[in-house]
Amino acid sequence: MPPIACFVAVLWLAALLAGSAKSEDTLDEAHTLLTGSDKRTWIELRIEKFMGQGCIGGSEWTFFIDGRVRHDKCLEGHLKSTWTDWSMTDLNSLDRELRVGEDAFIVLFQDGSDGLKMRLRQQSSSKAEATVDIVLSSDE
């Protein structure tokens, strides 16, 4: 096998192993990553607040241990909060699903030098639609 092919195979295997870290986490550990001991805020884009309810841009999700989630979003200069429920299940040995209301995502947690991240992947239903990845950063 040519050296470049070996190098590519090693990189592919490393990426596969890094992506399958979920299989070593229990569902309870994943719940703790999502909510912390009580609640955890995940930031898609930090909300800049001013003068009470005024804001400039942003979207933040706070997941509570009791299965509720609050989505704070700045719309037209005002902070809007919506509440819904969340649940998490194992789909198979590699994939874990996070349901937020009616929306389903494949979830992957990554703990790196820049803090804890959560990647939510919304699978497309056809080749004509794009798969959407949302990366959120823990507020802690």
Side-chain angles (χ1 to χ4, degrees):
M1 184 180 284
I4 189 71
C6 288
F7 180 72
V8 170
V10 168
L11 284 178
W12 178 81
L13 182 59
L16 180 65
L17 290 174
S20 67
K22 184 248 55 148
S23 63
E24 297 175 14
D25 296 335
T26 67
L27 198 54
D28 286 340
E29 290 169 332
H31 283 188
T32 301
L33 286 172
L34 182 66
T35 65
S37 60
D38 180 42
K39 66 179 178 178
R40 179 169 282 155
T41 298
W42 294 90
I43 299 169
E44 188 175 352
L45 181 62
R46 182 158 311 272
I47 296 173
E48 299 296 329
K49 299 175 188 172
F50 64 90
M51 295 177 59
Q53 287 286 90
C55 60
I56 302 172
S59 177
E60 300 176 2
W61 300 81
T62 302
F63 288 84
F64 294 83
I65 199 166
D66 65 1
R68 295 174 304 135
V69 60
R70 183 183 71 225
H71 183 205
D72 297 325
K73 190 170 189 172
C74 184
L75 293 172
E76 299 175 0
H78 296 283
L79 189 60
K80 304 290 183 192
S81 295
T82 56
W83 289 85
T84 191
D85 295 325
W86 68 267
S87 64
M88 192 183 300
T89 57
D90 286 331
L91 294 178
N92 53 48
S93 63
L94 292 176
D95 295 324
R96 183 164 285 146
E97 180 182 72
L98 174 63
R99 284 198 163 273
V100 178
E102 298 296 318
D103 297 321
F105 303 92
I106 302 298
V107 62
L108 177 65
F109 295 98
Q110 299 166 318
D111 197 2
S113 60
D114 57 345
L116 185 60
K117 305 271 188 211
M118 176 171 57
R119 179 178 302 273
L120 299 176
R121 172 164 287 180
Q122 202 162 30
Q123 297 287 103
S124 65
S125 57
S126 73
K127 290 183 179 182
E129 297 176 17
T131 294
V132 177
D133 276 0
I134 303 168
V135 178
L136 301 114
S137 302
S138 173
D139 195 23
E140 297 177 4

